[in-house]
Coordinates of all heavy atoms in Angstrom, one line a residue:
M1 N -5.9 -24.8 -22.6 CA -5.3 -25.5 -21.5 C -4.3 -24.5 -20.7 O -4.1 -24.6 -19.5 CB -4.5 -26.7 -22.0 CG -4.3 -27.7 -20.9 SD -5.8 -28.2 -20.1 CE -5.7 -29.9 -20.2
K2 N -3.7 -23.6 -21.5 CA -2.8 -22.6 -20.8 C -3.5 -21.8 -19.8 O -3.0 -21.5 -18.7 CB -2.2 -21.7 -21.9 CG -1.1 -22.4 -22.7 CD -0.5 -21.4 -23.7 CE 0.5 -22.1 -24.6 NZ 1.2 -21.2 -25.5
I3 N -4.7 -21.3 -20.1 CA -5.5 -20.5 -19.1 C -5.8 -21.2 -17.9 O -5.6 -20.7 -16.8 CB -6.8 -20.0 -19.8 CG1 -6.4 -19.0 -20.9 CG2 -7.6 -19.3 -18.8 CD1 -7.6 -18.6 -21.7
K4 N -6.2 -22.5 -18.0 CA -6.4 -23.3 -16.8 C -5.2 -23.5 -16.0 O -5.2 -23.3 -14.7 CB -6.9 -24.7 -17.2 CG -7.3 -25.6 -16.0 CD -7.6 -27.0 -16.5 CE -7.8 -27.9 -15.3 NZ -6.7 -28.2 -14.5
N5 N -4.0 -23.7 -16.6 CA -2.8 -23.8 -15.8 C -2.4 -22.5 -15.1 O -2.0 -22.6 -13.9 CB -1.7 -24.3 -16.7 CG -1.8 -25.7 -17.2 OD1 -2.6 -26.5 -16.6 ND2 -1.2 -26.1 -18.3
K6 N -2.6 -21.4 -15.8 CA -2.3 -20.1 -15.2 C -3.2 -19.8 -14.0 O -2.8 -19.4 -12.9 CB -2.4 -19.0 -16.2 CG -1.2 -19.0 -17.2 CD -1.4 -17.8 -18.1 CE -0.2 -17.8 -19.1 NZ -0.3 -16.7 -20.1
L7 N -4.5 -20.1 -14.2 CA -5.4 -19.9 -13.1 C -5.1 -20.8 -11.9 O -5.2 -20.4 -10.8 CB -6.8 -20.2 -13.6 CG -8.0 -19.9 -12.6 CD1 -8.0 -18.5 -12.2 CD2 -9.3 -20.3 -13.3
D8 N -4.8 -22.0 -12.2 CA -4.5 -23.0 -11.1 C -3.2 -22.5 -10.3 O -3.2 -22.5 -9.1 CB -4.2 -24.4 -11.7 CG -4.0 -25.4 -10.6 OD1 -4.9 -25.4 -9.6 OD2 -3.1 -26.2 -10.7
R9 N -2.2 -22.1 -11.0 CA -1.0 -21.6 -10.3 C -1.3 -20.3 -9.5 O -0.8 -20.2 -8.4 CB 0.1 -21.2 -11.4 CG 0.9 -22.4 -11.8 CD 2.2 -22.0 -12.5 NE 1.9 -21.0 -13.5 CZ 1.9 -21.3 -14.8 NH1 2.2 -22.5 -15.3 NH2 1.7 -20.3 -15.7
Y10 N -2.2 -19.4 -10.0 CA -2.5 -18.2 -9.3 C -3.3 -18.6 -8.0 O -3.0 -18.0 -6.9 CB -3.4 -17.3 -10.2 CG -3.9 -16.1 -9.5 CD1 -3.1 -15.0 -9.2 CD2 -5.3 -16.1 -9.0 CE1 -3.6 -13.9 -8.5 CE2 -5.7 -15.0 -8.3 CZ -4.9 -13.9 -8.1 OH -5.4 -12.8 -7.4
L11 N -4.2 -19.5 -8.1 CA -5.0 -19.9 -6.9 C -4.3 -20.7 -5.9 O -4.6 -20.6 -4.7 CB -6.3 -20.7 -7.4 CG -7.3 -19.9 -8.2 CD1 -8.4 -20.8 -8.7 CD2 -7.9 -18.8 -7.4
T12 N -3.3 -21.4 -6.3 CA -2.5 -22.2 -5.3 C -1.2 -21.6 -4.9 O -0.5 -22.2 -4.0 CB -2.2 -23.6 -5.9 OG1 -1.5 -23.5 -7.1 CG2 -3.5 -24.4 -6.1
D13 N -0.9 -20.4 -5.4 CA 0.4 -19.7 -5.0 C 0.3 -19.3 -3.6 O -0.6 -18.5 -3.2 CB 0.6 -18.6 -5.9 CG 1.9 -17.9 -5.7 OD1 2.8 -18.5 -5.1 OD2 2.1 -16.7 -6.1
K14 N 1.3 -19.7 -2.8 CA 1.3 -19.3 -1.3 C 2.6 -18.5 -1.0 O 2.9 -18.2 0.1 CB 1.3 -20.5 -0.4 CG 0.0 -21.3 -0.6 CD -1.2 -20.6 -0.2 CE -2.4 -21.4 -0.4 NZ -3.6 -20.6 -0.5
N15 N 3.3 -18.1 -2.0 CA 4.5 -17.2 -1.8 C 4.2 -15.8 -1.5 O 3.2 -15.2 -2.1 CB 5.4 -17.3 -3.1 CG 6.0 -18.6 -3.3 OD1 6.4 -19.3 -2.3 ND2 6.1 -19.0 -4.5
Y16 N 4.9 -15.2 -0.6 CA 4.7 -13.8 -0.3 C 5.1 -13.0 -1.5 O 6.1 -13.2 -2.1 CB 5.6 -13.5 0.9 CG 5.7 -12.0 1.3 CD1 4.6 -11.4 1.9 CD2 6.8 -11.2 1.0 CE1 4.6 -10.1 2.3 CE2 6.8 -9.9 1.4 CZ 5.7 -9.3 2.0 OH 5.7 -8.0 2.3
K17 N 4.3 -12.0 -1.8 CA 4.5 -11.2 -2.9 C 4.1 -9.7 -2.6 O 3.0 -9.5 -2.1 CB 3.7 -11.7 -4.1 CG 4.0 -10.9 -5.4 CD 3.3 -11.4 -6.6 CE 2.3 -12.6 -6.4 NZ 1.6 -13.0 -7.6
I18 N 5.0 -8.8 -2.9 CA 4.7 -7.4 -2.7 C 4.8 -6.7 -4.1 O 5.8 -6.9 -4.8 CB 5.5 -6.7 -1.6 CG1 5.2 -5.3 -1.4 CG2 7.0 -6.9 -1.9 CD1 5.7 -4.7 -0.1
T19 N 3.8 -6.0 -4.5 CA 3.8 -5.3 -5.8 C 3.6 -3.8 -5.5 O 2.6 -3.4 -4.9 CB 2.7 -5.8 -6.7 OG1 2.7 -7.2 -6.7 CG2 2.8 -5.2 -8.1
Y20 N 4.6 -3.0 -6.0 CA 4.5 -1.5 -5.7 C 4.1 -0.8 -7.0 O 4.7 -1.0 -8.0 CB 5.9 -1.1 -5.2 CG 6.0 0.4 -5.1 CD1 5.4 1.1 -4.1 CD2 6.8 1.2 -6.0 CE1 5.5 2.4 -3.9 CE2 6.9 2.5 -5.8 CZ 6.2 3.2 -4.8 OH 6.3 4.5 -4.7
F21 N 3.1 0.0 -6.9 CA 2.7 0.9 -7.9 C 2.9 2.3 -7.5 O 3.2 2.6 -6.3 CB 1.2 0.6 -8.3 CG 1.0 -0.7 -8.8 CD1 0.6 -1.8 -8.0 CD2 1.2 -1.0 -10.2 CE1 0.4 -3.0 -8.5 CE2 0.9 -2.3 -10.7 CZ 0.5 -3.3 -9.8
K22 N 2.6 3.3 -8.3 CA 2.8 4.7 -8.0 C 2.0 5.1 -6.8 O 2.5 5.8 -5.9 CB 2.5 5.6 -9.2 CG 2.7 7.0 -8.9 CD 2.4 7.9 -10.1 CE 2.5 9.4 -9.7 NZ 2.0 10.2 -10.8
D23 N 0.7 4.7 -6.7 CA -0.2 5.2 -5.7 C -0.6 4.1 -4.7 O -1.3 4.5 -3.7 CB -1.5 5.7 -6.4 CG -1.3 6.8 -7.3 OD1 -0.3 7.6 -7.1 OD2 -2.0 6.9 -8.3
Y24 N -0.1 2.9 -4.8 CA -0.5 1.9 -3.8 C 0.5 0.7 -3.9 O 1.3 0.5 -4.8 CB -1.9 1.4 -4.1 CG -2.2 0.7 -5.4 CD1 -2.1 -0.7 -5.5 CD2 -2.5 1.4 -6.5 CE1 -2.3 -1.3 -6.7 CE2 -2.7 0.8 -7.7 CZ -2.6 -0.6 -7.8 OH -2.8 -1.2 -9.0
I25 N 0.4 -0.1 -2.8 CA 1.1 -1.3 -2.7 C 0.1 -2.5 -2.5 O -0.8 -2.4 -1.6 CB 2.1 -1.3 -1.5 CG1 3.2 -0.2 -1.7 CG2 2.7 -2.6 -1.2 CD1 4.1 0.0 -0.6
N26 N 0.3 -3.5 -3.2 CA -0.5 -4.7 -3.0 C 0.4 -5.8 -2.5 O 1.5 -6.1 -3.0 CB -1.1 -5.2 -4.4 CG -2.1 -6.2 -4.2 OD1 -3.1 -6.0 -3.5 ND2 -2.0 -7.3 -4.9
I27 N -0.1 -6.5 -1.4 CA 0.7 -7.5 -0.7 C -0.2 -8.8 -0.7 O -1.3 -8.8 -0.3 CB 1.0 -7.1 0.7 CG1 1.9 -5.8 0.6 CG2 1.7 -8.2 1.4 CD1 2.2 -5.2 2.0
D28 N 0.4 -9.9 -1.1 CA -0.2 -11.2 -1.2 C 0.5 -12.2 -0.2 O 1.7 -12.2 -0.2 CB -0.2 -11.8 -2.6 CG -1.1 -11.0 -3.5 OD1 -2.2 -10.7 -3.2 OD2 -0.6 -10.7 -4.7
N29 N -0.3 -13.0 0.4 CA 0.2 -14.1 1.2 C 1.0 -13.7 2.4 O 2.0 -14.2 2.7 CB 0.9 -15.1 0.4 CG 0.1 -15.7 -0.7 OD1 -1.1 -16.0 -0.5 ND2 0.6 -15.8 -1.9
Y30 N 0.5 -12.7 3.2 CA 1.2 -12.3 4.4 C 0.5 -13.1 5.6 O -0.5 -13.6 5.4 CB 1.0 -10.7 4.6 CG -0.4 -10.3 5.0 CD1 -0.7 -10.1 6.3 CD2 -1.3 -10.1 4.0 CE1 -2.0 -9.7 6.6 CE2 -2.6 -9.7 4.3 CZ -2.9 -9.5 5.7 OH -4.2 -9.1 6.0
I31 N 1.2 -13.1 6.7 CA 0.7 -13.8 7.9 C -0.1 -12.9 8.8 O -1.2 -13.2 9.2 CB 1.9 -14.5 8.6 CG1 2.5 -15.5 7.7 CG2 1.4 -15.1 9.9 CD1 3.8 -16.1 8.3
E32 N 0.5 -11.7 9.1 CA -0.2 -10.8 10.0 C 0.4 -9.4 9.9 O 1.5 -9.2 9.5 CB -0.1 -11.3 11.5 CG 1.3 -11.1 12.1 CD 1.3 -11.5 13.6 OE1 0.4 -11.2 14.3 OE2 2.3 -12.1 14.0
I33 N -0.5 -8.5 10.3 CA 0.0 -7.1 10.4 C 0.5 -6.9 11.9 O -0.3 -7.1 12.8 CB -1.1 -6.1 10.1 CG1 -1.6 -6.3 8.7 CG2 -0.7 -4.6 10.3 CD1 -2.9 -5.4 8.4
I34 N 1.8 -6.6 12.0 CA 2.4 -6.5 13.3 C 2.0 -5.1 13.9 O 1.7 -5.0 15.1 CB 3.9 -6.6 13.3 CG1 4.2 -8.0 12.8 CG2 4.5 -6.4 14.6 CD1 5.7 -8.2 12.4
D35 N 2.2 -4.0 13.1 CA 2.0 -2.7 13.6 C 1.5 -1.8 12.4 O 1.9 -2.0 11.3 CB 3.3 -2.1 14.2 CG 3.2 -0.8 14.9 OD1 2.1 -0.6 15.5 OD2 4.1 0.0 14.8
F36 N 0.6 -0.9 12.8 CA 0.1 0.0 11.7 C -0.1 1.4 12.2 O -0.7 1.6 13.3 CB -1.2 -0.6 11.2 CG -1.8 0.3 10.1 CD1 -1.4 0.2 8.8 CD2 -2.8 1.2 10.4 CE1 -1.9 0.9 7.8 CE2 -3.3 2.0 9.4 CZ -2.9 1.9 8.1
S37 N 0.4 2.4 11.5 CA 0.1 3.8 11.7 C 0.1 4.5 10.4 O 0.3 3.9 9.4 CB 1.2 4.4 12.7 OG 2.4 4.5 12.0
S38 N -0.2 5.8 10.4 CA -0.2 6.5 9.1 C 1.2 6.7 8.5 O 1.3 7.1 7.4 CB -0.9 7.9 9.3 OG -0.2 8.7 10.2
S39 N 2.2 6.4 9.3 CA 3.6 6.6 8.8 C 4.4 5.3 8.6 O 5.5 5.3 8.1 CB 4.4 7.5 9.7 OG 4.5 7.0 11.0
S40 N 3.8 4.1 9.1 CA 4.6 2.9 9.1 C 3.6 1.7 9.2 O 2.7 1.7 9.9 CB 5.6 2.8 10.2 OG 6.2 1.6 10.3
V41 N 3.9 0.7 8.4 CA 3.2 -0.6 8.4 C 4.2 -1.7 8.5 O 5.1 -1.8 7.6 CB 2.3 -0.8 7.2 CG1 1.5 -2.1 7.3 CG2 1.3 0.4 7.0
K42 N 4.1 -2.6 9.5 CA 5.0 -3.8 9.6 C 4.1 -5.0 9.4 O 3.1 -5.2 10.0 CB 5.6 -3.8 11.0 CG 6.7 -2.8 11.2 CD 7.4 -2.9 12.5 CE 8.4 -1.8 12.7 NZ 9.0 -1.9 14.0
I43 N 4.6 -5.9 8.5 CA 3.9 -7.1 8.1 C 4.8 -8.3 8.2 O 5.9 -8.3 7.7 CB 3.4 -6.9 6.6 CG1 2.5 -5.7 6.5 CG2 2.7 -8.2 6.2 CD1 2.4 -5.2 5.1
R44 N 4.3 -9.3 8.9 CA 5.0 -10.6 9.0 C 4.6 -11.5 7.9 O 3.4 -11.6 7.5 CB 4.7 -11.3 10.4 CG 5.4 -12.6 10.6 CD 5.1 -13.2 11.9 NE 5.0 -12.4 13.0 CZ 6.0 -11.8 13.8 NH1 7.2 -12.1 13.4 NH2 5.7 -11.0 14.8
H45 N 5.5 -12.2 7.3 CA 5.3 -13.1 6.2 C 6.2 -14.3 6.4 O 7.0 -14.3 7.4 CB 5.5 -12.5 4.8 CG 6.8 -11.8 4.7 ND1 8.0 -12.3 4.3 CD2 7.1 -10.4 4.9 CE1 8.9 -11.4 4.3 NE2 8.4 -10.3 4.7
N46 N 6.1 -15.3 5.6 CA 6.9 -16.6 5.8 C 8.4 -16.4 5.7 O 9.1 -17.3 6.1 CB 6.4 -17.7 4.9 CG 6.4 -17.3 3.5 OD1 6.8 -16.2 3.1 ND2 5.9 -18.2 2.6
S47 N 8.8 -15.3 5.1 CA 10.3 -15.1 5.0 C 10.8 -14.1 5.9 O 12.0 -13.8 5.9 CB 10.6 -14.7 3.6 OG 10.2 -15.6 2.6
G48 N 10.0 -13.4 6.8 CA 10.5 -12.4 7.7 C 9.5 -11.3 7.9 O 8.3 -11.6 8.0
I49 N 10.0 -10.1 7.9 CA 9.1 -8.9 8.2 C 9.4 -7.9 7.1 O 10.5 -7.6 6.7 CB 9.4 -8.3 9.6 CG1 9.0 -9.3 10.6 CG2 8.7 -7.0 9.8 CD1 9.4 -8.9 12.0
T50 N 8.3 -7.2 6.6 CA 8.4 -6.1 5.7 C 7.9 -4.9 6.4 O 6.9 -4.9 7.1 CB 7.6 -6.3 4.4 OG1 8.2 -7.4 3.8 CG2 7.7 -5.1 3.5
E51 N 8.7 -3.8 6.4 CA 8.2 -2.5 6.9 C 8.1 -1.5 5.8 O 9.0 -1.3 5.0 CB 9.2 -2.0 8.0 CG 8.7 -0.7 8.6 CD 9.6 -0.1 9.7 OE1 10.7 -0.7 9.8 OE2 9.2 0.8 10.4
I52 N 6.9 -0.9 5.7 CA 6.6 0.2 4.7 C 6.6 1.5 5.5 O 5.8 1.6 6.4 CB 5.3 -0.1 4.0 CG1 5.4 -1.5 3.3 CG2 4.9 1.0 3.0 CD1 4.0 -2.0 2.9
I53 N 7.4 2.4 5.0 CA 7.5 3.7 5.7 C 7.0 4.8 4.7 O 7.4 4.8 3.5 CB 8.9 4.0 6.1 CG1 9.4 2.9 7.1 CG2 9.1 5.4 6.7 CD1 10.9 3.0 7.4
G54 N 6.1 5.7 5.2 CA 5.6 6.7 4.3 C 4.8 7.7 5.1 O 5.0 7.9 6.3
N55 N 3.8 8.3 4.3 CA 3.0 9.3 4.9 C 1.5 9.1 4.5 O 1.3 8.7 3.3 CB 3.5 10.7 4.4 CG 2.8 11.9 5.2 OD1 2.4 11.7 6.3 ND2 2.7 13.0 4.5
N56 N 0.6 9.3 5.4 CA -0.8 9.1 5.1 C -1.1 7.7 4.6 O -1.9 7.5 3.6 CB -1.3 10.1 4.0 CG -1.3 11.5 4.6 OD1 -1.5 11.7 5.7 ND2 -0.9 12.4 3.7
L57 N -0.5 6.7 5.2 CA -0.7 5.3 4.8 C -2.0 4.8 5.3 O -2.4 5.0 6.4 CB 0.4 4.4 5.3 CG 1.8 4.7 4.9 CD1 2.8 3.8 5.6 CD2 2.0 4.6 3.4
V58 N -2.8 4.2 4.4 CA -4.1 3.7 4.7 C -4.3 2.3 4.1 O -3.9 2.0 3.0 CB -5.2 4.6 4.1 CG1 -6.6 4.1 4.3 CG2 -5.1 6.0 4.6
V59 N -4.9 1.4 5.0 CA -5.2 0.1 4.4 C -6.6 0.2 3.8 O -7.6 0.4 4.5 CB -5.3 -1.0 5.6 CG1 -5.8 -2.3 5.0 CG2 -3.9 -1.2 6.2
N60 N -6.6 0.0 2.5 CA -7.9 0.2 1.7 C -8.6 -1.2 1.5 O -9.8 -1.2 1.3 CB -7.6 0.8 0.4 CG -7.5 2.3 0.5 OD1 -7.8 2.9 1.5 ND2 -7.0 2.9 -0.6
K61 N -7.8 -2.3 1.5 CA -8.5 -3.6 1.3 C -7.7 -4.6 2.1 O -6.5 -4.6 2.1 CB -8.5 -3.9 -0.2 CG -9.1 -5.2 -0.5 CD -9.2 -5.5 -2.0 CE -8.0 -6.2 -2.5 NZ -8.2 -6.6 -3.9
M62 N -8.5 -5.5 2.8 CA -7.9 -6.5 3.6 C -8.8 -7.8 3.4 O -9.8 -7.9 4.0 CB -7.8 -6.2 5.0 CG -6.8 -7.0 5.8 SD -6.2 -6.4 7.4 CE -7.5 -5.6 8.2
V63 N -8.4 -8.7 2.4 CA -9.1 -9.8 2.1 C -8.3 -11.1 2.3 O -7.2 -11.1 1.6 CB -9.7 -9.8 0.7 CG1 -10.5 -11.0 0.3 CG2 -10.5 -8.5 0.4
D64 N -8.7 -12.0 3.1 CA -7.9 -13.2 3.4 C -6.4 -12.9 3.6 O -6.1 -12.3 4.6 CB -8.1 -14.2 2.3 CG -9.5 -14.8 2.3 OD1 -10.1 -14.9 3.4 OD2 -10.0 -15.2 1.2
C65 N -5.6 -13.2 2.6 CA -4.2 -13.0 2.7 C -3.7 -11.9 1.8 O -2.6 -11.9 1.4 CB -3.4 -14.3 2.5 SG -3.7 -15.5 3.7
E66 N -4.6 -11.0 1.4 CA -4.3 -9.9 0.5 C -4.5 -8.5 1.2 O -5.5 -8.4 1.9 CB -5.1 -10.0 -0.7 CG -4.7 -9.0 -1.8 CD -5.5 -9.1 -3.1 OE1 -6.3 -10.0 -3.2 OE2 -5.4 -8.2 -3.9
L67 N -3.6 -7.6 1.0 CA -3.6 -6.3 1.6 C -3.3 -5.2 0.6 O -2.4 -5.4 -0.2 CB -2.6 -6.3 2.7 CG -2.5 -5.2 3.7 CD1 -3.8 -5.2 4.5 CD2 -1.3 -5.4 4.6
L68 N -4.1 -4.1 0.6 CA -3.9 -3.0 -0.3 C -3.6 -1.8 0.5 O -4.5 -1.4 1.3 CB -5.1 -2.8 -1.2 CG -5.0 -1.7 -2.2 CD1 -3.9 -2.0 -3.3 CD2 -6.3 -1.4 -2.9
I69 N -2.5 -1.2 0.4 CA -2.1 0.0 1.1 C -1.9 1.2 0.2 O -1.2 1.1 -0.8 CB -0.8 -0.2 1.9 CG1 -1.0 -1.4 2.9 CG2 -0.4 1.0 2.7 CD1 0.3 -1.9 3.5
T70 N -2.6 2.3 0.5 CA -2.4 3.5 -0.3 C -1.7 4.6 0.6 O -1.6 4.5 1.8 CB -3.7 4.1 -0.8 OG1 -4.5 4.4 0.3 CG2 -4.4 3.1 -1.7
G71 N -1.2 5.6 -0.1 CA -0.5 6.7 0.6 C 0.9 7.0 -0.1 O 1.2 6.4 -1.1
E72 N 1.6 7.9 0.5 CA 2.9 8.2 0.0 C 4.0 7.3 0.6 O 4.2 7.3 1.8 CB 3.3 9.7 0.4 CG 2.4 10.7 -0.2 CD 2.8 12.1 0.3 OE1 4.0 12.5 0.1 OE2 1.9 12.7 0.9
V73 N 4.6 6.4 -0.2 CA 5.5 5.5 0.2 C 6.9 6.0 0.0 O 7.3 6.4 -1.1 CB 5.4 4.1 -0.5 CG1 6.5 3.1 -0.1 CG2 4.0 3.5 -0.2
Y74 N 7.7 6.1 1.1 CA 9.1 6.6 1.0 C 10.1 5.4 0.9 O 11.1 5.6 0.3 CB 9.4 7.5 2.2 CG 8.5 8.7 2.3 CD1 8.1 9.1 3.6 CD2 8.1 9.4 1.3 CE1 7.3 10.2 3.8 CE2 7.2 10.5 1.4 CZ 6.9 10.9 2.7 OH 6.0 12.0 2.8
E75 N 9.8 4.3 1.6 CA 10.8 3.3 1.7 C 10.1 1.9 2.0 O 9.1 1.9 2.8 CB 11.8 3.6 2.9 CG 12.9 2.7 3.0 CD 13.9 3.1 4.1 OE1 13.6 4.1 4.8 OE2 14.9 2.5 4.2
I76 N 10.6 0.9 1.5 CA 10.2 -0.5 1.8 C 11.4 -1.3 2.3 O 12.4 -1.4 1.6 CB 9.6 -1.2 0.6 CG1 8.4 -0.4 0.1 CG2 9.2 -2.6 0.9 CD1 7.8 -0.9 -1.3
K77 N 11.3 -1.7 3.6 CA 12.4 -2.5 4.2 C 12.0 -3.9 4.3 O 11.0 -4.3 4.9 CB 12.8 -1.9 5.6 CG 13.3 -0.5 5.6 CD 13.6 -0.1 7.0 CE 14.1 1.3 7.1 NZ 14.4 1.6 8.5
L78 N 12.9 -4.8 3.8 CA 12.7 -6.3 4.0 C 13.7 -6.8 5.0 O 14.9 -6.6 4.9 CB 12.9 -7.0 2.6 CG 12.0 -6.5 1.5 CD1 12.4 -7.2 0.2 CD2 10.6 -6.8 1.8
K79 N 13.2 -7.4 6.1 CA 14.1 -7.9 7.1 C 14.0 -9.4 7.2 O 13.0 -10.0 7.0 CB 13.6 -7.2 8.5 CG 13.7 -5.7 8.4 CD 13.2 -5.2 9.7 CE 13.2 -3.6 9.7 NZ 12.7 -3.1 10.9

């Protein structure tokens, strides 16, 4: 029963979530990409705007409300 509950929470979760790893950033439940370049990505979500600043930023995956960004990340600003 625990696995079913965890899976249900995962599938119905609508909260904005950003997960930073060494080589990439995974973003869940965003609304839209406002601006994108190789040095900056601005993303609108239900709590405001997140700006990712770096070098050689690339969107590697864009599925429904999930985004995967790779590159050198220098700063993440939450506005």
